[in-house]
């Protein structure tokens, strides 16, 4: 074969064919090898070297094709090659290790090339690495397990559904996906079918049947029908929850973003896919300097040129659809300018006027000066797709979907796991922690990477086993719940409520999902609440006991004829006094209830001299203690303020009784003074004790409901209004309360109330006028 | 005193309760029965009083400021020497803490005065 020989349109010179294929296929991301009739590899593209992890100085050219495949796959590859030499195009999937020993799955097209169609000189093998897709399928299986476990762990509530299709309730995500309102949902009219696009309702019914017989419904896809009429592609799965609020719990994943990504991926893959699945490949090449064009028989056949037709640009132009010519030429010009592959799909018009689609791709070679030398390309008829090809496309599509869902499921799982408000641990069957969410990190005080070095027994003391016995089948175990202590970093104990479930995964291993909730605050609340009740009961029973005992004593004396009038009067006064105490206590109780409920008070302000009143209250309290000395240090002038006397009495007596309760003795100073601020005169009253003091960390909390210092233990809960109530009363007087304290030295509570002594009178007059 | 032959030594009781009304009534009632009565407003006062007074029986309230009934009983029972039986007279009689001091008897407030007196008399030394 020499340069000056006339171009031959029916048979190509072998060297040219090989070189052409080489050039073209070096630009494809697939592994391409060309084999001659002796089974010897005559050429291989550059990507093949990389895909097969072939070292630079090793070549497989000149070796038999079998070097690339493991012996087990030789028979069917040999058969495919032999059929390709008979003119057939074969496609097969097989595993072959790379030269570095890594196992890869390959989808290979074996097609004839060059020479007569039924007796080609070469066979081309185009292999695509589909290992990722195979992995994707395996990942799907894992992800299904994950989905199921996600539900099992009770981390996601999605929606509860009965077997008759009635949707009982759903979580917020479900509501926003369907655009249902909660009230609407819980009115009971929503069913699986009413939220499903009509064409998928039969599928939903089938799924419910599967669910009722197998207790589990594998994930399936459908279009959700939103209340605004829009359809949303979703993945749905369900599992039976006998004994729960509904027969089953189901979950929904929005596939819209996945679908968009899939479409893009599909578009990118399409061109290559078409090439691979095409029956025949036509080749052409042209001299850019002379304009001379040559083509193969396949090219001529694809383009429907008559036998013997002279290859020329004109003949191509004549064939190309007039509407597509500009686009083709633009693409060719672009590839020249960018020196890249051109790739275009266009229509050709046959002599009988019918239209076919072809796909054309190729590139141009340049000399060192950048002058284009030679263009070459390949063309494939893509008009007809056999049903088998379509099926293959669909299969591929399903694989891609599977892969995408696996990725989406993983991301979904992680985001729910991390976002859950509860603390969640995942442990293996030996109790080794394998995952912990941020909630668990916070509760236990260790980062996840440290927690994963622990066993579950390291955080829960023995005897408080958190784990359920593993189930035999791939069904979740029952939830095991309990309340117990766990150890945080630093050894501190926290009371938690735990719920755990064991799940056997698809591969037979067992995973435990444990959710923990800190209940220490709730328990403290309950304890204080109980103490309050005990205290109220004590406070009320004492005067009752006095009244009863008094009455019985009087009775005994009457019986013995020993009752003197003087004692009778005394006893009556005592009974009366006890009744008054009870009345006061009941009033207090009502006030406490009101203050604890945060209800606003109706203040009955009157002008009083607080200095005088406080002195009186302090004297009352002095009588209750022998260990303390209560002093009052009022300023000389009367401290006249407009306040609700009963409420302010509660404030002062609460501070006094706290000072007595939380100090073992010493002086309790009550200091009243005027302070001048921008807003005017302020009455400041401090109660200063020499007691236990309040730890600094507790100071910001002392005015909270149901709080007490961490150094206070067993000093009895109060049925009183508490400091939260004190603050409420002070605030409703427009005032403030503050505390200074040091552990071991004592506390000083200061109440400040702005006092304008004329104002209230004026107000009273105003309101009197208004009435 | 009365014409009834009185024993060589008069029976005695200590009333420990923070409620002044109850202290007064019980003092009257036990005096009517011929007891020597001493009262204390809390456990701490009672404990100090026991250094100069050795009652036959102690009637003890539980909820009291400064030193409550349980703390008092623990301190008293840890003291060497004879221990008078304790009759708990309280609103919260059944708690674990109350049982821990092993009272001779527990009477719930509000109570029947006759029952309290009878219970105390049963505890008197033969």
């Amino acid at each position: 074969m020499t340069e000056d020989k006339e171009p031959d349109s029916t048979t190509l010179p072998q060297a040219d064919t090989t070189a052409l294929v080489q050039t073209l296929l070096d630009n494809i991301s697939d592994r391409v090898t060309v084999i001659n009739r002796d089974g010897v590899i005559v050429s291989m593209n550059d990507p093949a070297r990389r895909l097969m992890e072939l070292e630079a100085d090793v070549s497989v050219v000149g070796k038999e094709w079998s070097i690339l495949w493991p012996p087990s796959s030789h028979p069917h590859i040999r058969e495919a090659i032999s059929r390709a030499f008979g003119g057939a195009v074969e496609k097969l999937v097989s595993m072959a290790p790379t030269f570095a020993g890594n196992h890869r799955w390959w989808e290979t097209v074996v097609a004839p090339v060059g020479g007569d169609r039924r007796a080609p000189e070469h066979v081309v093998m185009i292999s695509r690495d589909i290992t990722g897709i195979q992995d994707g399928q395996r990942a799907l299986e894992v992800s299904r397990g994950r989905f199921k476990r996600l539900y099992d762990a009770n981390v996601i509530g999605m929606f509860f559904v009965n077997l008759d299709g009635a949707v009982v309730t759903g979580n917020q995500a479900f509501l926003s996906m369907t655009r249902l309102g909660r009230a609407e949902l819980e009115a009971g009219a929503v069913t699986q079918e009413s939220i499903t696009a009509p064409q998928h309702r039969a599928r939903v019914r089938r799924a419910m049947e599967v669910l009722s017989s197998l207790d589990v419904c594998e994930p399936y896809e459908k279009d959700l029908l939103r209340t605004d009429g829009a359809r949303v592609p979703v993945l749905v799965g369900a599992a039976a929850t006998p004994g729960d609020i509904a027969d089953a719990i189901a979950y929904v994943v929005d596939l819209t973003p996945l679908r968009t990504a899939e479409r893009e991926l599909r578009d990118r893959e399409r061109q290559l896919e078409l090439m691979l699945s095409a029956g025949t490949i036509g080749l052409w090449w042209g001299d850019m300097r002379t304009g001379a064009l040559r083509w193969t028989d396949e090219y001529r056949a694809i383009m429907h040129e008559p036998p013997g037709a002279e290859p020329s640009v004109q003949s191509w132009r004549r064939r190309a659809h007039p509407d597509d010519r500009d686009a083709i030429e633009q693409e060719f010009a672009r590839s020249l300018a960018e020196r890249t592959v051109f790739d275009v799909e266009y229509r050709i018009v046959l002599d009988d006027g019918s239209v076919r689609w072809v796909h054309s791709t190729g590139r141009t070679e340049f000399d060192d000066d950048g002058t284009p030398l030679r263009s070459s390309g390949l063309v494939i008829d893509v008009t007809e797709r056999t049903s088998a090809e379509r099926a293959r496309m669909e299969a591929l599509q399903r694989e891609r979907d599977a892969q995408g869902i696996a990725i989406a499921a993983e991301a979904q799982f992680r985001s729910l796991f991390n976002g859950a408000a509860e603390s969640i641990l995942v442990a293996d069957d030996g109790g080794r922690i394998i995952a912990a969410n941020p909630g668990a990190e916070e509760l236990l005080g260790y980062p996840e990477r440290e927690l994963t070095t622990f066993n579950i027994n390291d955080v829960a003391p023995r005897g408080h086993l958190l784990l359920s016995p593993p189930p035999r089948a791939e069904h979740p175990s029952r939830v095991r719940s309990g309340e117990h202590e766990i150890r945080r970093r630093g050894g501190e104990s926290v009371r938690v409520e735990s719920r755990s479930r064991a799940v056997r995964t698809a591969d037979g291993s067992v995973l435990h999902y444990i959710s923990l909730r800190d209940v220490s605050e709730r328990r403290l609340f309950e304890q204080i609440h109980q103490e309050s009740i005990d205290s109220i009961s004590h406070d009320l029973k004492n005067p009752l006991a006095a009244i009863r005992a008094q009455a019985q004593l009087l009775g005994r004396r009457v019986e013995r004829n020993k009752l003197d009038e003087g004692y009778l009067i005394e006893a009556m006064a005592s009974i009366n006094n006890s009744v008054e105490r009870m009345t006061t206590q009941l009033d207090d109780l009502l006030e406490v209830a009101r203050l604890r409920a945060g209800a606003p008070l109706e203040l009955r302000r009157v002008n009083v001299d607080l200095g005088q009143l406080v002195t009186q209250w302090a004297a009352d309290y002095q009588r209750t203690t022998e260990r303390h000395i209560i002093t009052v240090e009022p300023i000389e002038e009367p401290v006249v303020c407009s306040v609700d006397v009963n409420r302010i009495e509660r404030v002062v007596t609460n501070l006094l009784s706290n000072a007595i309760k939380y100090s073992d003795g010493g002086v309790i100073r009550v200091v009243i003074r005027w302070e001048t601020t921008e807003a005017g005169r302020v009455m400041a009253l401090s109660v200063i004790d020499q007691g236990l003091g309040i730890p600094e960390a507790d100071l910001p909390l002392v005015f909270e409901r149901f709080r007490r210092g961490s150094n206070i233990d067993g000093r009895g809960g109060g049925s009183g209004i508490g400091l939260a109530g004190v603050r409420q009363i002070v605030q409703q007087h427009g005032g403030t309360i503050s505390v200074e304290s040091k552990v071991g030295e004592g506390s000083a509570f200061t109440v400040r109330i702005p006092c304008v002594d004329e104002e209230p009178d004026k107000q009273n007059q105003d309101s009197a006028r208004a009435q | 005193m009365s014409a009834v032959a009185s024993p060589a030594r008069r029976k005695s009781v200590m009333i420990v309760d923070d409620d002044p009304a109850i202290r007064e009534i019980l003092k009257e009632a036990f005096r009517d029965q011929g007891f020597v009565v001493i009262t204390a407003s809390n456990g701490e006062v009672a404990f100090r009083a026991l250094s100069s007074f050795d009652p036959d029986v102690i009637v003890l309230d539980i909820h009291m400021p400064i030193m409550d009934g349980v703390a008092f009983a623990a301190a008293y029972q840890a003291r060497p020497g004879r221990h008078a039986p304790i009759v708990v007279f309280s609103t919260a009689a059944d708690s674990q803490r109350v049982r821990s001091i092993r009272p001779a008897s527990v009477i719930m407030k509000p109570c029947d005065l006759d029952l309290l007196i009878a219970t105390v008399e049963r505890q008197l030394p033969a």
Side-chain angles (χ1 to χ4, degrees):
Chain A
M1 312 293 158
T2 56
E3 277 296 321
D4 55 355
K5 195 188 172 200
E6 278 297 308
D8 184 338
S9 67
T10 54
T11 37
L12 275 173
Q14 182 180 321
D16 279 341
T17 308
T18 315
L20 181 57
V21 169
Q22 187 72 53
T23 311
L24 289 172
L25 299 179
D26 279 353
N27 293 291
I28 292 171
S29 62
D30 295 321
R31 169 157 81 86
V32 180
T33 46
V34 179
I35 295 158
N36 69 13
R37 288 195 157 273
D38 295 324
V40 171
I41 299 166
V42 297
S43 112
M44 185 176 77
N45 67 346
D46 271 345
R49 185 167 280 285
R50 182 176 48 77
L51 287 169
M52 289 304 288
E53 301 184 274
L54 200 53
E55 283 175 26
D57 52 347
V58 182
S59 174
V60 295
V61 173
K63 306 267 172 54
E64 213 207 7
W65 60 266
S66 58
I67 191 170
L68 297 175
W69 302 94
S72 60
S73 65
H74 288 174
H76 65 272
I77 292 174
R78 182 173 294 118
E79 196 188 343
I81 290 171
S82 126
R83 286 161 67 92
F85 275 116
V89 176
E90 295 285 318
K91 186 167 172 184
L92 45 93
V93 173
S94 59
M95 193 282 294
T98 66
F99 286 91
N102 294 313
H103 286 241
R104 291 274 184 276
W105 284 90
W106 305 92
E107 183 185 69
T108 304
V109 173
V110 188
V113 65
D116 184 284
R117 173 77 201 267
R118 270 164 301 282
E121 288 171 16
H122 294 94
V123 160
V124 63
M125 298 179 75
I126 306 171
S127 301
R128 199 141 60 93
D129 184 348
I130 57 164
T131 313
I133 295 169
Q134 298 276 336
D135 286 345
Q137 223 148 15
R138 276 194 296 279
L140 175 64
E141 279 167 31
V142 174
S143 81
R144 280 185 180 150
R146 279 229 172 90
F147 256 113
K148 223 157 85 59
R149 298 196 308 263
L150 197 56
Y151 147 69
D152 295 333
N154 226 348
V155 177
I156 46 166
M158 288 189 165
F159 67 94
F160 282 92
V161 62
N162 281 327
L163 288 175
D164 63 6
V167 177
V168 177
T169 185
N171 68 353
Q172 199 51 49
F174 171 74
L175 291 178
S176 55
M177 215 182 278
T178 52
R179 304 281 155 98
L180 281 163
R182 183 162 291 287
E184 195 181 347
L185 175 62
E186 287 172 2
V190 178
T191 67
Q192 274 270 52
E193 291 193 34
S194 73
I195 55 163
T196 302
Q199 75 270 24
H200 291 140
R201 286 179 186 162
R203 177 72 188 90
V204 169
R205 281 194 291 272
R206 205 158 67 241
M208 295 308 281
E209 280 165 33
V210 170
L211 180 63
S212 68
S213 58
L214 298 180
D215 281 359
V216 173
C217 165
E218 289 293 312
Y220 65 96
E221 289 179 34
K222 71 169 188 183
D223 281 357
L224 206 62
L225 184 63
R226 281 198 334 220
T227 52
D228 60 6
R231 278 138 210 250
V232 186
V234 293
L235 182 76
V236 189
T241 52
D244 210 318
I245 62 166
D247 295 332
I249 183 168
Y251 58 86
V252 196
V253 181
D254 188 344
L255 297 177
T256 312
L258 179 67
R259 284 283 168 270
T260 311
E262 277 304 304
R263 211 162 31 242
E264 285 166 12
L265 179 66
R266 207 155 50 231
D267 289 346
R268 277 202 303 279
E269 292 290 319
R270 195 167 141 268
Q271 294 167 337
L272 188 57
E273 181 57 36
L274 290 172
M275 252 184 76
L276 292 170
S277 57
T280 347
I281 304 170
L283 302 176
W284 63 267
W285 68 103
D287 191 318
M288 293 295 280
R289 289 159 304 182
T290 65
L293 193 66
R294 284 190 284 178
W295 57 42
T296 63
D297 253 9
E298 287 84 0
Y299 179 91
R300 195 186 50 72
I302 289 166
M303 299 299 276
H304 289 257
E305 297 289 352
E310 189 68 24
S312 69
V313 175
Q314 284 70 32
S315 66
W316 167 80
R317 280 188 68 83
R318 201 171 53 241
R319 211 34 110 203
H321 194 289
D323 292 351
D324 292 348
R325 279 177 207 152
D326 284 355
I328 302 162
E329 281 170 358
Q330 269 171 27
E331 169 65 7
F332 189 68
R334 186 200 56 75
S335 85
L336 277 183
E338 296 174 7
R339 298 199 186 182
T340 55
V341 173
F342 64 87
D343 190 283
V344 65
E345 205 165 282
Y346 61 93
R347 287 165 293 176
I348 55 172
V349 184
L350 306 191
D351 292 342
D352 63 3
S354 60
V355 171
R356 295 187 75 77
W357 281 89
V358 295
H359 191 103
S360 172
T361 183
R363 68 181 291 137
T364 303
E365 290 162 51
F366 297 84
D367 70 8
D368 295 344
D369 308 332
T371 312
L373 294 177
R374 206 162 79 136
S375 287
S376 51
L378 90 213
V379 66
I380 303 160
D381 187 321
V382 294
T383 313
E384 284 164 19
R385 309 259 165 84
T386 65
S387 60
E389 278 167 342
R390 249 200 314 276
R392 273 206 297 279
M393 287 282 289
E394 281 166 12
L396 190 75
Q397 174 59 28
R398 277 196 299 276
E399 286 165 1
R400 295 253 184 279
D401 286 354
Q403 199 171 8
I405 290 166
I407 292 161
E410 175 72 28
Q412 187 97 5
F413 171 77
R414 199 71 214 178
S415 96
L416 283 161
F417 185 63
N418 286 344
E422 289 189 317
S423 308
I424 304 167
L425 296 172
V426 184
D428 67 14
D429 204 19
R432 200 174 63 87
I433 296 172
I434 56 180
N437 76 345
E441 293 180 324
E442 197 185 332
L443 178 65
L444 294 165
Y446 295 97
E448 186 180 23
R449 71 188 139 72
E450 276 186 64
L451 283 173
T452 52
T453 65
F454 291 178
N455 191 286
I456 203 78
N457 291 327
D458 296 334
V459 291
R462 268 185 203 291
H464 290 304
L465 195 59
L466 290 167
L467 308 180
S468 315
R472 277 189 300 279
E474 202 182 322
H475 285 284
S477 70
R478 303 195 72 80
V479 172
R480 180 188 198 121
S481 57
E483 193 182 306
H484 47 80
E485 310 277 324
I486 53 160
R487 271 192 295 275
R488 308 188 52 183
R489 176 178 224 128
E492 188 195 341
S493 273
V494 183
R495 189 142 196 97
V496 296
E497 185 182 273
S498 76
R499 290 170 63 80
S500 77
R501 227 205 256 260
V503 178
R504 195 171 284 282
T505 65
D507 65 8
S509 61
V510 171
L511 286 179
H512 296 271
Y513 288 81
I514 304 130
S515 75
L516 303 172
R517 206 168 60 206
D518 183 348
V519 293
S520 49
E521 198 155 313
R522 196 169 74 203
R523 289 289 167 267
L524 179 64
F525 177 96
E526 285 167 2
Q527 187 195 338
I528 292 176
H529 192 68
Q530 184 57 47
E531 285 170 5
S532 299
I533 290 171
D534 291 349
S535 178
I536 289 164
S537 147
H538 172 78
D539 288 352
L540 291 176
K541 277 181 182 168
N542 260 332
L544 269 181
I547 291 167
R548 185 170 181 192
Q550 186 75 72
Q552 289 181 332
L553 177 60
L554 290 175
R556 290 163 73 96
R557 288 195 176 172
V558 168
E559 268 174 30
R560 297 174 192 186
N561 214 7
K562 278 183 71 184
L563 183 64
D564 67 82
E565 201 174 320
Y567 184 75
L568 181 62
I569 290 164
E570 207 179 296
M572 292 306 188
S574 159
I575 289 173
N576 208 21
N577 189 5
S578 294
V579 171
E580 258 171 36
R581 266 167 63 207
M582 283 187 74
T583 309
T584 307
Q585 276 163 5
L586 285 168
D587 284 346
D588 282 353
L589 205 56
L590 283 176
E591 182 91 343
V592 169
R594 226 177 275 139
L595 286 169
R596 286 192 179 170
L601 306 171
E602 254 181 62
L603 296 184
R604 286 183 294 273
R605 285 176 182 256
V606 285
N607 274 336
V608 290
D609 179 358
L610 273 177
Q612 195 192 328
L613 280 174
V614 169
T615 308
Q616 191 185 315
W617 297 330
D620 289 346
Y621 266 80
Q622 182 66 74
R623 280 195 282 276
T624 70
T625 174
E626 291 161 8
R627 311 196 59 171
H628 301 83
I629 297 166
I630 304 177
T631 67
V632 182
E633 304 167 28
I635 51 177
E636 282 158 20
E637 55 181 308
V639 189
V640 177
C641 254
S642 162
V643 293
D644 182 322
V645 178
N646 287 338
R647 264 62 181 255
I648 292 299
E649 179 178 4
R650 286 184 208 287
V651 168
V652 175
T653 56
N654 195 287
L655 295 178
L656 283 171
S657 88
N658 276 348
I660 292 168
K661 201 192 294 181
Y662 298 129
S663 63
D664 292 330
V667 176
I668 296 170
R669 292 171 59 214
V670 182
V671 182
I672 312 173
R673 61 190 179 276
W674 285 113
E675 286 179 359
T676 310
T677 67
E678 287 170 16
R681 289 220 300 178
V682 170
M683 188 280 299
L685 180 149
S686 301
V687 176
I688 304 158
D689 66 50
Q690 299 172 325
L692 303 174
I694 302 163
E696 205 179 328
D698 294 341
L699 278 178
L701 303 172
V702 293
F703 298 114
E704 301 296 322
R705 273 155 222 281
F706 301 111
R707 285 285 180 176
R708 59 167 71 159
S710 52
N711 59 340
I712 301 307
D713 190 28
R715 284 197 181 231
S719 60
I721 56 177
L723 284 172
V726 165
R727 182 172 64 171
Q728 226 171 313
I729 292 173
V730 171
Q731 284 176 346
Q732 293 197 14
H733 279 84
T736 59
I737 182 165
S738 60
V739 59
E740 286 170 52
S741 189
K742 211 160 185 187
V743 171
E745 292 183 16
S747 306
F749 284 84
T750 301
V751 169
R752 290 184 173 81
I753 293 177
C755 288
V756 187
D757 51 354
E758 284 116 3
E759 194 84 23
D761 282 336
K762 192 166 164 286
Q763 269 177 359
N764 289 343
Q765 283 158 19
D766 286 349
S767 59
R769 262 199 302 275
Q771 289 162 1
Chain B
M1 289 305 295
S2 71
V4 178
S6 60
R9 189 181 156 279
R10 283 179 62 193
K11 52 193 179 179
S12 61
V13 63
M14 176 185 251
I15 311 289
V16 190
D17 200 307
D18 62 331
D19 188 319
I22 289 177
R23 284 200 305 272
E24 283 310 306
I25 294 160
L26 295 188
K27 188 161 83 183
E28 291 292 327
F30 280 104
R31 277 187 182 160
D32 284 358
Q33 290 301 113
F35 279 82
V36 172
V37 183
I38 187 164
T39 63
S41 62
N42 65 56
E44 208 257 339
V45 175
F47 192 77
R48 268 185 310 184
L50 283 169
S51 59
S52 53
F53 181 73
D54 185 17
D56 294 328
V57 183
I58 300 173
V59 173
L60 181 66
D61 186 18
I62 297 299
H63 290 287
M64 290 180 294
I66 301 168
M67 182 188 262
D68 75 3
V70 173
F72 160 79
Y76 173 59
Q77 286 164 352
R79 220 178 60 159
R82 191 194 80 91
H83 298 128
I86 292 174
V87 173
V88 166
F89 182 51
S90 172
T91 56
D94 61 341
S95 82
Q96 190 88 37
R97 291 185 74 230
V98 171
R99 284 197 298 275
S100 75
I101 62 171
R102 293 190 303 280
S105 190
V106 175
I107 308 281
M108 293 283 286
K109 282 182 188 171
C111 81
D112 186 72
L113 193 58
D114 295 337
L115 174 68
L116 178 66
I117 291 168
T119 305
V120 168
E121 290 197 316
R122 231 180 13 251
Q123 300 301 327
L124 291 172

